[in-house]
Structures are given as structure tokens and as C-alpha cells.
Amino acid sequence: MTEPDKDQCDLLDGLRRGRPAAGQDPVKRSQIIEGARRVFIDKGFEAASMNDITREAGVSKGTIYVYFANKEELFEALIEEERGTIFKNMYDMLDRADDLRETLVKFGKVLSLKITSAKVIQAQRTVIGASDRIPELGARFYERGPKRGHDKVVAFLNAAIERGLLRIDDVDLAAYQFTELCLAGLFRQCIFAYRTKAPSQDEIDHIVRSGVGMFLKAYGTERLAAEESTQTIALEAKS
């Protein structure tokens, strides 16, 4: 049997003493990430240095390297934390099988609201700026965020096809079309700072409802039209 290495000893010692082992303290990790967030926002990814982050986080450089191997790893951890906070449970509404149009509208409004928020726009600008020098960072950002969300929309559309409500030959393309319709004009205006304020909820509602209308005109089936007609008649009878 081999002797335990130093990391294993540190971990066991930390557990015995009731404190986190090196690199395992969530409070310290959060402190570092918060400092990095402020530096990246202020300087951007390229100009930011680990020395800057050390000073802003109020920790030693040795402490930072216990938690993160380099600036790229720290930046990715920050993005993952932001994504988890901002987009948590957003796709849950696609698990429901109720009114197709209203589900698309509700999801589209939440998607548009979050994508055009100041935090998300700033994060995407930072990733775009870093991707020229570190393309794999941009690729991982896309795979772990936008691509996962896209796959969930694809699954939702496939379920609607199975219910006979949609007829789509290229579901992958249709999922991209749907999200683009919900963000029509908004994303580019925000990412390039042409628009200095996030769009209002009324503006988002107008754009999303129009986009969903176009989407369902292109892909909706006669069965969907019949269901919506029945719903309209039922609502009019109640009023």
C-alpha cells in the first residue's frame, strides 16, 4: 500500500479539524470569484491580471492558485456561476404540455428578458473579446450555455410534433428560428451598445407575440388551429 500524498493528508486533516481542506472552502472560492467579477467588468478579460484579481478579492496569489489554475479557469467558473443564477429553472416551463402558443410566448418573453439583461450582455461581450485569443473558451461557453438551451427547445418542438400540433422538416433549424424571432432586433442593439437600456417588458411582449405568431403560421398544423379555435369559442362563451 502506498503512503497517502500531501493533498490526501491535507484533506483528511481538514476533515478532522472540521474545516475545509485547501481549495474546498466555498466561502473563499466565492470571495475570489466576486473579486474576479469586478475586475473582469472593469478591465475586460484581456487586460485583467491575476494580480488585479488578488488585490480585489483580498487574498494572496497562492490562495487563488489553490482554487484556480489560471485566469481562463477562473473566468469560466465565474461564467458558470452567473449562468446558474440567471438561467436557473428557465427551461422548466417547456416541460408542460398545456397551451402551445402561450407556452412559447411565456418562454420567449423570459428568454428575451434574460438574454438582453445587463449582466448577460456584459458576459457575452467579455467572452467574445476573449474568444479571438482563446477560441476553445468561446466554444465551451457556447456548448455549456446556448447549445444546451437550444437542445431543450428542440426537444420541446419534437414533443409538439408528436402531439400533431407542429409540422417541421428541420427541427434544429426551427429551434434557432424561434429564438431569433423572440430576440428580433434586440440582441444586436444591446450587444453593440446601440441600445443603452434593456428593452421594456411591453416591447418584449410585442416582439415575442409577433414572433410566435409567425412561427406558428409557418409550422402550425390544422390540429393546432382547431384546438385554438375551440379554446377561443370556450373563452367567448364564458365572457
Side-chain angles (χ1 to χ4, degrees):
M1 181 182 294
T2 60
E3 293 184 2
D5 60 26
K6 184 178 184 302
D7 288 341
Q8 290 174 319
C9 290
D10 286 345
L11 177 59
L12 291 172
D13 183 59
L15 291 172
R16 292 190 195 102
R17 295 169 180 267
R19 60 176 174 77
Q24 302 297 317
D25 186 346
V27 175
K28 185 65 67 176
R29 186 177 189 276
S30 178
Q31 180 182 340
I32 295 169
I33 287 178
E34 184 57 38
R37 177 186 289 108
R38 294 192 293 269
V39 172
F40 285 132
I41 289 175
D42 181 51
K43 295 177 176 289
F45 179 82
E46 288 292 333
S49 71
M50 291 297 264
N51 286 332
D52 295 326
I53 295 168
T54 294
R55 286 191 296 271
E56 189 65 32
V59 299
S60 69
K61 185 177 288 188
T63 297
I64 281 191
Y65 285 115
V66 167
Y67 287 82
F68 303 101
N70 49 47
K71 184 173 71 171
E72 289 79 6
E73 186 177 299
L74 177 50
F75 179 69
E76 288 192 67
L78 169 60
I79 292 298
E80 284 300 310
E81 183 176 285
E82 291 285 334
R83 181 184 292 125
T85 301
I86 295 172
F87 294 97
K88 183 179 180 181
N89 302 327
M90 188 181 81
Y91 294 93
D92 289 355
M93 64 183 69
L94 295 181
D95 294 333
R96 298 195 297 268
D98 51 5
D99 184 280
L100 176 62
R101 184 182 298 269
E102 281 308 304
T103 299
L104 288 174
V105 167
K106 289 176 183 176
F107 174 74
K109 288 165 65 174
V110 173
L111 175 70
S112 184
L113 183 68
K114 291 181 181 293
I115 292 295
T116 59
S117 67
K119 272 191 172 184
V120 174
I121 290 295
Q122 182 63 51
Q124 293 191 86
R125 286 175 182 158
T126 305
V127 172
I128 290 169
S131 295
D132 186 47
R133 188 173 69 84
I134 314 172
E136 62 272 18
L137 188 151
R140 286 195 296 271
F141 173 85
Y142 181 78
E143 289 172 356
R144 295 172 182 175
K147 182 62 168 61
R148 288 180 182 176
H150 173 77
D151 291 343
K152 291 180 184 295
V153 176
V154 167
F156 176 80
L157 296 180
N158 276 323
I161 291 170
E162 291 177 4
R163 291 165 58 196
L165 303 179
L166 298 176
R167 183 181 297 108
I168 303 174
D169 293 329
D170 189 337
V171 182
D172 190 63
L173 174 61
Y176 284 120
Q177 290 171 333
F178 169 71
T179 53
E180 291 293 330
L181 285 169
C182 292
L183 290 162
L186 297 179
F187 178 71
R188 286 186 178 86
Q189 290 177 12
C190 291
I191 201 75
F192 293 116
Y194 176 80
R195 179 189 290 263
T196 57
K197 293 183 179 180
S200 68
Q201 291 192 2
D202 287 343
E203 185 177 8
I204 287 175
D205 182 77
H206 172 67
I207 289 172
V208 170
R209 288 189 182 278
S210 175
V212 170
M214 293 180 65
F215 186 82
L216 293 182
K217 279 186 178 180
Y219 295 121
T221 63
E222 293 182 359
R223 179 173 180 176
L224 173 63
E227 285 192 7
E228 293 192 330
S229 177
T230 301
Q231 291 170 356
T232 300
I233 293 172
L235 288 173
E236 289 175 349
K238 289 180 180 180
S239 60

